[in-house]
């Protein structure tokens, strides 16, 4: 059922959904009005200032992120609170149908990220006898900073049987190499890989789910959902304006993450540069996903001091052991009274730190997940790891190789899903579409 605006009129199919007044904001405004009538000047002033700040934050969280640009949104965009990630298998052998779908998806993505319905007719504007071209569950909701980021997997270029279904095998970048097997991997093939991925991030879970649902609906007969993952509570910050969040182990995660403000580092570590590979990827980035189950019941029975030694940081402030503040640089040389390194050789922060990996860095924007329980009284929970980079062979692979062999945290982790995708540069104008440069 559609939500109506304050005039009592249903929103038009082409109008941005965010033009309606949210119920939460209406309640906030009503509260401010009551305080003013009561004449409590000082208190009301503070309330209004606080309310103004809250409304400003709410306004940003509800706003739209530009869809067009040199790079795809959803990479350096300040990480939103919710995720719906999906990997598709392409089930058609018809190249023209696949390209047509990518064009349709691009148009729908541009509309949905602007807070509009997926199709021109909309959820309620068409003939009653025909299925709507939007599923409707986001009617009345603002854009919520929805971003949709697309990537192409190795099997799109050559499938599992080695067949070049779409005549693009010679355009596969060398950097889009299959990931090697890492020590301790317990990967499930049915929730790994995929021909095409779409990452939907939003500050409203229903907006993200609506976007993926509609892309899957539009793609019926051309693609099928291979696997998908919902996430909540971002586990990294991608802007210096964001505080470092905590993962399900209770520790701050991604303190040393690449940030949108690090322009030089982004050119060096994130974006594919001219000459790196095929031209169609210049300005793009490579995405690695890992679904990492965290054995939180075992972790919760571990002492605080052992948890901090495993991570290499304090749990409260996130400071490196031996330091005072979160963003202090860790000192891996300092030793304690026992002659042992304060940050242990097997500590996670040591093994993952750029100084221990020839300067390799990642832009992480992963999410927590809880997928119910496993039937043995344990939560099926953990981290859906998402990392963008210029070349996984030089960044994720060597870092993960060290971690998989030596990280003391491995006792509490199980990697159950994996994927690698080439994410092309952004859609530049209305004549452009996802995959245009790849398919020519």
């Amino acid at each position: 059922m559609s939500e109506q605006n304050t005039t009592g009129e249903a929103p038009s199919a082409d109008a941005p959904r965010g033009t309606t007044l949210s119920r939460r904001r209406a309640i906030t405004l009503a509260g401010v009005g009551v305080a003013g009538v009561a004449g409590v000047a000082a208190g009301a002033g503070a309330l209004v200032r606080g309310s103004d700040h809250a409304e400003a934050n709410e306004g940003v969280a509800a706003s739209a992120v530009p869809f067009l640009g040199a790079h795809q949104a959803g990479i350096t965009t300040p990480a939103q609170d919710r995720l719906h990630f999906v990997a598709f298998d392409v089930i058609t052998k018809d190249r023209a149908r696949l390209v047509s779908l990518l064009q349709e998806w691009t148009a729908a993505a541009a509309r949905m990220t602007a807070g509009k319905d997926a199709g021109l007719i909309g959820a309620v504007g068409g003939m009653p006898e025909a299925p709507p071209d939007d599923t409707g569950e986001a009617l009345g909701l603002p854009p919520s900073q929805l971003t949709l980021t697309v990537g192409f997997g190795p099997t799109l270029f050559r499938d599992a049987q080695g067949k070049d279904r779409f005549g693009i095998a010679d355009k596969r970048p060398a950097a889009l190499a299959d990931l090697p097997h890492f020590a301790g991997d317990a990967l499930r093939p049915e929730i790994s890989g995929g021909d095409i991925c779409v990452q939907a991030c939003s500050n409203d879970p229903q907006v993200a789910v609506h976007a993926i649902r509609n892309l899957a609906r539009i793609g019926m007969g051309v693609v099928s959902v291979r696997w998908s993952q919902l996430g909540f509570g971002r586990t990294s910050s991608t802007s210096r304006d964001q505080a470092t969040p905590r993962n399900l182990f209770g520790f701050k995660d991604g303190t040393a993450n690449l940030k949108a403000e690090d322009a030089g580092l982004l050119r060096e570590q994130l974006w594919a540069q001219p000459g790196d590979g095929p031209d169609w990827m210049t300005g793009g980035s490579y995405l690695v996903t890992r679904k990492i189950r965290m054995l939180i019941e075992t972790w919760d029975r571990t002492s605080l001091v052992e948890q901090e030694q495993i991570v290499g940081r304090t749990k409260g402030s996130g400071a490196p052991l031996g330091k005072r503040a979160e963003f202090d640089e860790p000192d891996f040389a300092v030793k304690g009274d026992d002659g042992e390194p304060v940050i242990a050789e097997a500590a996670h922060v040591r093994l993952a730190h750029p100084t221990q990996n020839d300067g390799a860095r990642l832009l992480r924007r992963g999410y927590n997940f809880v997928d119910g329980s496993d039937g043995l009284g344990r939560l099926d929970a953990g981290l859906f790891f998402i990392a963008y980079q210029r070349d996984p062979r030089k960044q994720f692979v060597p870092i993960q190789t060290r971690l998989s062999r030596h990280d003391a945290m491995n006792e509490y982790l199980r990697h159950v899903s994996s994927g690698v995708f080439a994410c092309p540069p952004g859609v530049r104008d209305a004549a452009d579409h996802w995959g245009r440069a790849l398919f020519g």
Side-chain angles (χ1 to χ4, degrees):
M1 181 176 292
S2 64
E3 181 177 328
Q4 293 190 336
N5 59 26
T6 53
T7 65
E9 297 174 345
S12 66
D14 200 47
R17 295 191 303 263
T19 56
T20 57
L21 183 66
S22 74
R23 181 173 301 175
R24 184 171 52 175
R25 183 154 187 250
I27 292 172
T28 301
L29 293 174
V32 171
V34 169
V37 170
V40 187
L47 179 59
V48 170
R49 288 192 295 275
S51 179
D52 286 347
H53 183 68
E55 286 178 25
N57 287 340
E58 183 179 337
V60 171
S63 65
V65 175
F67 180 72
L68 302 179
H71 308 294
Q72 291 196 66
I75 299 177
T76 59
T77 304
Q80 303 93 323
D81 288 334
R82 300 290 183 147
L83 167 78
H84 192 178
F85 189 96
V86 64
F88 293 99
D89 286 331
V90 178
I91 57 175
T92 184
K93 298 178 181 177
D94 187 332
R95 173 181 168 129
R97 287 191 69 191
L98 175 57
V99 172
S100 178
L101 172 63
L102 292 171
Q103 292 172 327
E104 288 186 66
W105 270 1
T106 305
R111 292 180 58 80
M112 290 189 288
T113 54
K116 300 177 181 178
D117 288 342
L120 289 170
I121 296 174
V124 296
M127 296 174 58
E129 297 81 8
D133 65 6
D134 184 280
T135 51
E137 68 269 35
L139 276 175
L141 298 178
S144 303
Q145 295 196 313
L146 172 68
T147 55
L148 293 165
T149 312
V150 71
F152 303 126
T155 51
L156 184 68
F157 297 84
R158 199 177 288 281
D159 67 15
Q161 288 71 46
K163 188 173 182 180
D164 180 7
R165 292 172 291 171
F166 307 111
I168 56 174
D170 61 345
K171 293 187 176 182
R172 175 177 171 176
L176 188 63
D178 294 320
L179 297 178
H181 176 84
F182 298 105
D185 272 359
L187 304 182
R188 295 169 51 194
E190 71 274 18
I191 57 171
S192 296
D195 293 331
I196 302 175
C197 76
V198 180
Q199 169 199 280
C201 296
S202 170
N203 290 317
D204 185 327
Q206 188 142 324
V207 170
V209 169
H210 166 262
I212 294 299
R213 177 185 176 187
N214 276 274
L215 294 181
R217 177 185 57 78
I218 294 168
M220 190 171 297
V222 180
V223 296
S224 65
V225 173
R226 179 178 178 85
W227 57 274
S228 67
Q229 182 65 52
L230 295 173
F232 66 94
R234 62 181 173 84
T235 60
S236 293
S237 54
T238 54
S239 168
R240 300 199 190 286
D241 291 335
Q242 295 182 306
T244 308
R246 294 181 185 273
N247 59 29
L248 294 185
F249 282 162
F251 279 77
K252 292 188 175 183
D253 203 349
T255 295
N257 202 30
L258 284 175
K259 302 291 196 297
E261 295 85 355
D262 302 330
L265 282 173
L266 297 186
R267 283 193 298 274
E268 176 187 317
Q269 302 274 346
L270 179 64
W271 305 121
Q273 299 296 312
D276 279 357
D279 290 342
W280 68 268
M281 265 300 291
T282 299
S285 190
Y286 293 90
L287 164 63
V288 170
T289 65
R290 305 280 286 184
K291 184 175 181 178
I292 306 171
R293 182 171 177 186
M294 301 164 84
L295 307 182
I296 55 177
E297 290 81 4
T298 307
W299 179 262
D300 292 345
R301 294 195 296 272
T302 304
S303 70
L304 174 61
V305 67
E306 186 175 352
Q307 290 181 5
E308 292 183 335
Q309 289 171 346
I310 290 170
V311 175
R313 291 183 180 275
T314 59
K315 195 167 190 175
S317 69
L321 295 184
K323 297 288 184 176
R324 302 186 64 179
E326 178 191 352
F327 293 101
D328 288 348
E329 276 297 308
D331 186 342
F332 299 119
V334 67
K335 295 184 178 179
D337 295 337
D338 59 358
E340 295 297 321
V342 171
I343 298 177
E345 298 288 347
H348 184 81
V349 68
R350 175 191 288 270
L351 294 167
H353 198 271
T355 59
Q356 309 297 303
N357 292 282
D358 295 324
R361 305 184 65 161
L362 304 169
L363 187 141
R364 297 175 50 187
R365 51 177 302 135
Y367 288 83
N368 298 316
F369 73 85
V370 176
D371 291 346
S373 60
D374 63 2
L376 298 174
R378 303 175 301 189
L379 288 177
D380 183 357
L383 166 67
F384 188 70
F385 174 92
I386 295 174
Y388 289 90
Q389 61 229 271
R390 182 174 172 182
D391 189 337
R393 298 170 300 172
K394 301 175 182 176
Q395 294 168 265
F396 175 78
V397 170
I399 294 171
Q400 181 56 27
T401 297
R402 283 171 55 85
L403 288 170
S404 68
R405 292 174 179 171
H406 306 296
D407 192 354
M409 195 181 291
N410 288 335
E411 180 181 350
Y412 306 90
L413 304 176
R414 298 290 183 273
H415 289 239
V416 297
S417 165
S418 181
V420 59
F421 302 91
C423 301
V427 175
R428 293 183 175 274
D429 52 43
D432 196 4
H433 64 81
W434 285 344
R436 183 187 58 79
L438 170 60
F439 286 93

